[in-house]
Amino acid sequence: MRRAYAMLGLGTAVLLAAASLTLIPRSSQASSTEATFLVPAHDGYGVADCLVSGHSCGQAVADTWCEAQGYVRATSFRQVAVGEVTGSVQKAALTKLPQPVSITCTN
């Protein structure tokens, strides 16, 4: 009789533990719903190339970049002006490089 109660208690504990694990959020998803990233223009994704040339490929490339970061899609993307970049970099050095791209991603 004691064995039956012990097995019932153990089974209940295992069932509750398994049920609680289904309520834990997945770690593969991004923690916030929206984030903005500064992407170098020469990163290899081609977002800056699409913006400069005026092609419609910018949205598709930005969406792909956001998916690679764990987000669903890009809500906006644009080239960033020299004055918007952190003040720790000299402006003379930034004018020689292609301007970075700001990409806002969302879940």
Side-chain angles (χ1 to χ4, degrees):
M1 186 76 162
R2 281 191 228 167
R3 182 179 283 173
Y5 286 126
M7 294 304 289
L8 180 63
L10 180 63
T12 304
V14 169
L15 180 67
L16 290 175
S20 68
L21 289 177
T22 60
L23 300 176
I24 297 174
R26 294 183 199 163
S27 62
S28 64
Q29 294 178 346
S31 60
S32 67
T33 58
E34 186 173 284
T36 301
F37 301 95
L38 280 178
V39 181
H42 56 283
D43 72 335
Y45 278 93
V47 179
D49 296 335
C50 290
L51 285 175
V52 172
S53 62
H55 291 115
S56 62
C57 62
Q59 183 65 47
V61 174
D63 285 340
T64 303
W65 194 89
C66 287
E67 289 172 9
Q69 305 305 313
Y71 290 88
V72 175
R73 62 184 174 88
T75 56
S76 68
F77 59 94
R78 63 182 178 86
Q79 279 192 311
V80 178
V82 175
E84 293 181 81
V85 180
T86 181
S88 64
V89 180
Q90 294 180 0
K91 288 184 180 180
L94 288 176
T95 57
K96 297 176 185 175
L97 296 173
Q99 299 303 313
V101 176
S102 169
I103 301 177
T104 302
C105 303
T106 188
N107 282 339

